[in-house]
Amino acid sequence: LYYFLVAITNVTDFGTNQAFVHHVLEMDDTFNDKHLMWRAIKSDGLQNVAYVGVIIWEWLITAMLAWATFEWIRAISRGGPYDRARRLATIGIIMIFILFVGGFITIGGEWFSMWQSATWNGLNTAFRNATLAALALLIMHLPSADWGRNR
């Protein structure tokens, strides 16, 4: 539900997070270090492509986790097996890691120096999303009494 709300918000309120992506990629609110500024993307077109790519990825996460939720409900109602639901949820969670750890923390935070911005810094949100996803992944893969029975 969370990723659905994020994706729908980015579509219905396109401009708000578009401005975020613009400023991060433009690097206009960083320390303006001449050794790093060559990384900045000044093209509005490329910035929009990046933003639309993020939105598409969010919709793919939403679809994968919705499918996984359906499989969890089906498996629970039948008393197992849970492997398919666990596999699909794992893929969805890995997609979250790709977006927030790979995209926001690594590329946005380090490559585009987002950490330097007091205004356009999404590292706390990215860390929160990655941490919650890691916790969900850990809990989902804890051994259970039926672990071997349903394999």
Side-chain angles (χ1 to χ4, degrees):
L1 179 61
Y2 174 77
Y3 292 99
F4 170 75
L5 295 175
V6 169
I8 198 76
T9 299
N10 282 339
V11 169
T12 59
D13 184 20
F14 190 85
T16 298
N17 283 328
Q18 180 189 30
F20 174 85
V21 170
H22 167 82
H23 289 288
V24 169
L25 297 182
E26 184 102 358
M27 297 175 67
D28 59 357
D29 192 37
T30 62
F31 299 164
N32 204 18
D33 183 334
K34 66 180 179 179
H35 300 292
L36 299 178
M37 292 308 292
W38 63 269
R39 298 175 181 177
I41 296 176
K42 305 287 186 181
S43 165
D44 289 339
L46 289 177
Q47 293 168 358
N48 287 335
V49 166
Y51 181 45
V52 169
V54 168
I55 293 171
I56 291 169
W57 195 254
E58 291 167 347
W59 281 111
L60 292 172
I61 291 169
T62 299
M64 183 58 68
L65 293 178
W67 185 12
T69 300
F70 171 77
E71 292 295 333
W72 277 109
I73 292 168
R74 191 162 76 167
I76 289 168
S77 69
R78 295 178 178 173
Y82 303 100
D83 289 345
R84 182 180 180 98
R86 189 175 285 117
R87 238 184 339 269
L88 292 170
T90 299
I91 292 168
I93 291 171
I94 289 170
M95 292 171 73
I96 294 168
F97 284 131
I98 290 169
L99 178 61
F100 287 102
V101 175
F104 284 84
I105 294 173
T106 304
I107 295 171
E110 289 303 316
W111 185 257
F112 291 106
S113 300
M114 181 171 62
W115 65 270
Q116 295 178 3
S117 175
T119 306
W120 305 104
N121 188 336
L123 291 177
N124 287 336
T125 300
F127 183 76
R128 182 179 63 242
N129 275 273
T131 301
L132 291 173
L135 182 60
L137 189 64
L138 177 67
I139 291 169
M140 187 174 58
H141 284 276
L142 286 174
S144 62
D146 65 345
W147 187 261
R149 179 175 51 116
N150 289 321
R151 287 194 165 245

